[in-house]
Amino acid sequence: MHKHYDRHPTGAFSMVNDASMNESEQLKVLRDRIDSIDDQIGKLISERAQCAQDVAEVKKSANPEEAAKSFYRPEREAQVLRKAMERNQGPLSNEEMARLFREIMSACLALEQPIKVAFLGPEGTFTQQAALKHFGHSAIAMPFSAIDEVFREVEAGAVNYGVVPVENSTEGVVNHTLDNFMTSNLKICGEVELRIHQNLLISDVTHVKNISRIYSHSQSLAQCRKWLDAHYPNAERIAVSSNAEAAKRLKGEWNAAAIAGSMAAELYGLKVLAEKIEDEPDNSTRFLIIGTESVPASGDDKTSLVVAMRNEPGALHNLLEPFHRHNIDLTRVESRPARTGAWTYVFFIDFSGHAQDAEVSKVLNEVSSRAADLKLLGSYPKAVL
Ligand SMILES: O=C(O)C(=O)C[C@]1(C(=O)O)C=C[C@@H](O)C=C1
């Protein structure tokens, strides 16, 4: 411990590591030091915010039409966060350091222009948590009650971006999101990964010993199936439209509980009766950011495609072979029933790389010539946080 502080660049601990000082004297020295550091941090943040305002002016005069749509630059944000992590020497973890920079950038962007983000609501869902994780708390996040509505709001230009869930490590893909991509022209502009911790929530009128119904979204009930079997084998499990909706329902119900995230608990004033009740300890969900613009390369990107193959022998092999030959790392292959007779198989494919990379562009041409149809859903920075 002593050594650790000695190495610290503030040198504050060695300043007060003096037997002649009592506790309050030592604290005073350290807190004066913190005040002076905060003073410098405050000045630097203001200076940074001024730079962001100047960036906005440059964007406006270079391309007023583009600038009016959005000042947000996903590739640049990913680079800033990655640099914050690379530079970090501790004692804060890389994630903590990046989270702080995430919020500074969010506030800087809001100075340029507040960004509007639609998410699959209601308030308190994991999708809202994902939206805030990705855009920071200065974004204006607006709840919509269905995935289709989130797509429509972005298409109509009523919001700048949308956030929708796409796959869960325990429960698999969110088909509704994939289906929307088949008909939409929106682009994937980013991804967010969220560790999902489920809690059993009760209200202040719940009789803990008499819980006979448990509300949640069907995916969350499935994620906690073993826990529920062990702890509440006789309670009725009731699937509702979202975890937040489950939390909302508890009001006034003395014999019910809900499974939801901690955000829903806070929002609806509920008590956590049991935490981390998910069966898989690394239960996580991946969300996509959808928008109208393509994103330039950030240096560490992913690309998503939807490809229709003809119904013939070796179709899947023919589709995947060029990726293997060009040494491109596939991160996900998902098949969905096609909506039209012509599209027998539809595959959603994610891989490492950006559509503008030379090697990726070769693969895209080859796959396109073999496929009945190919749609590029977007290239975007890999999740940083
Ligand atoms: O570099 C930019 O284009 C900026 O607008 C500045 C900044 C930042 O605060 O660093 C803010 C918003 C953008 O999304 C990216 C970065």
Side-chain angles (χ1 to χ4, degrees):
M1 190 71 174
H2 185 171
K3 246 185 164 172
H4 170 81
Y5 272 96
D6 259 357
R7 278 192 278 112
H8 203 261
T10 66
F13 189 70
S14 31
M15 270 165 69
V16 297
N17 191 16
D18 173 346
S20 69
M21 280 189 183
N22 63 27
E23 183 197 349
S24 68
E25 285 166 341
Q26 291 186 353
L27 286 181
K28 168 130 188 25
V29 171
L30 287 171
R31 286 176 179 160
D32 285 348
R33 179 87 185 114
I34 286 178
D35 283 342
S36 124
I37 294 168
D38 285 351
D39 188 53
Q40 296 170 54
I41 293 174
K43 284 190 183 123
L44 288 172
I45 290 176
S46 298
E47 212 178 296
R48 190 188 191 288
Q50 178 66 56
C51 276
Q53 280 182 318
D54 294 347
V55 166
E57 288 310 314
V58 172
K59 286 178 190 165
K60 269 191 243 169
S61 54
N63 196 340
E65 245 173 65
E66 276 303 301
K69 279 191 226 154
S70 175
F71 289 87
Y72 176 64
R73 294 290 184 273
E75 74 290 1
R76 172 66 184 157
E77 296 215 347
Q79 287 163 351
V80 170
L81 297 180
R82 285 178 198 141
K83 275 188 205 157
M85 291 171 117
E86 279 161 22
R87 255 195 323 256
N88 183 37
Q89 308 262 314
L92 290 180
S93 70
N94 285 352
E95 285 68 29
E96 277 304 326
M97 186 58 93
R99 233 170 34 78
L100 294 172
F101 274 88
R102 164 65 286 154
E103 290 303 330
I104 292 173
M105 259 196 303
S106 180
C108 287
L109 176 64
L111 255 191
E112 296 184 40
Q113 175 206 49
I115 193 169
K116 280 196 212 152
V117 180
F119 67 88
L120 178 65
E123 299 257 353
T125 53
F126 286 115
T127 315
Q128 180 177 22
Q129 216 172 306
L132 295 175
K133 182 177 179 188
H134 190 79
F135 290 100
H137 287 69
S138 300
I140 303 169
M142 300 151 79
F144 289 88
S145 57
I147 289 173
D148 317 42
E149 274 186 60
V150 174
F151 272 80
R152 268 206 305 276
E153 288 298 303
V154 183
E155 276 159 2
V159 294
N160 303 101
Y161 293 92
V163 185
V164 288
V166 69
E167 59 178 325
N168 173 267
S169 58
T170 318
E171 278 305 290
V173 290
V174 181
N175 290 325
H176 217 62
T177 294
L178 296 188
D179 290 346
N180 265 286
F181 278 116
M182 290 202 219
T183 48
S184 170
N185 284 325
L186 292 181
K187 298 260 178 299
I188 303 176
C189 305
E191 60 169 359
V192 196
E193 278 167 15
L194 202 64
R195 206 31 112 67
I196 302 288
H197 293 305
Q198 303 282 11
N199 307 285
L200 189 72
L201 307 180
I202 52 169
S203 80
D204 44 12
V205 300
T206 313
H207 297 183
V208 175
K209 295 218 154 48
N210 296 318
I211 293 173
S212 58
R213 11 159 94 216
I214 296 176
Y215 296 111
S216 197
H217 187 269
S218 58
Q219 280 225 352
S220 304
L221 288 170
Q223 286 166 23
C224 305
R225 190 176 53 79
K226 286 189 207 146
W227 190 89
L228 287 170
D229 288 347
H231 295 85
Y232 291 91
N234 300 318
E236 188 187 355
R237 298 172 199 180
I238 303 169
V240 294
S241 61
S242 70
N243 293 357
E245 176 59 33
K248 243 186 188 171
R249 289 240 184 152
L250 287 196
K251 218 179 162 80
E253 292 205 24
W254 60 272
N255 60 348
I259 294 178
S262 50
M263 208 167 156
E266 248 170 66
L267 197 69
Y268 299 107
L270 301 172
K271 231 167 62 193
V272 176
L273 189 61
E275 58 178 7
K276 298 192 179 163
I277 62 169
E278 63 277 3
D279 297 332
E280 302 295 330
D282 56 355
N283 185 29
S284 60
T285 295
R286 183 168 165 255
F287 299 83
L288 295 176
I289 311 300
I290 50 173
T292 52
E293 308 291 318
S294 305
V295 180
S298 74
D300 190 11
D301 301 282
K302 230 184 212 182
T303 297
S304 298
L305 294 177
V306 56
V307 187
M309 292 303 283
R310 289 175 201 94
N311 188 9
E312 58 194 21
L316 183 58
H317 176 264
N318 281 341
L319 168 62
L320 299 182
E321 186 274 329
F323 290 96
H324 177 68
R325 188 161 22 87
H326 288 271
N327 216 5
I328 286 177
D329 180 28
L330 291 169
T331 54
R332 188 173 68 123
V333 179
E334 207 74 60
S335 71
R336 290 283 300 141
R339 289 280 176 87
T340 67
W343 286 32
T344 309
Y345 296 116
V346 181
F347 295 99
F348 285 86
I349 301 177
D350 288 355
F351 57 90
S352 295
H354 192 283
Q356 284 158 1
D357 298 347
E359 226 35 35
V360 172
S361 146
K362 276 187 219 159
V363 171
L364 290 179
N365 284 334
E366 283 186 41
V367 173
S368 175
S369 69
R370 296 173 184 203
D373 206 345
L374 179 147
K375 185 155 111 178
L376 185 63
L377 300 178
S379 291
Y380 48 93
K382 283 188 185 167
V384 181
L385 273 172

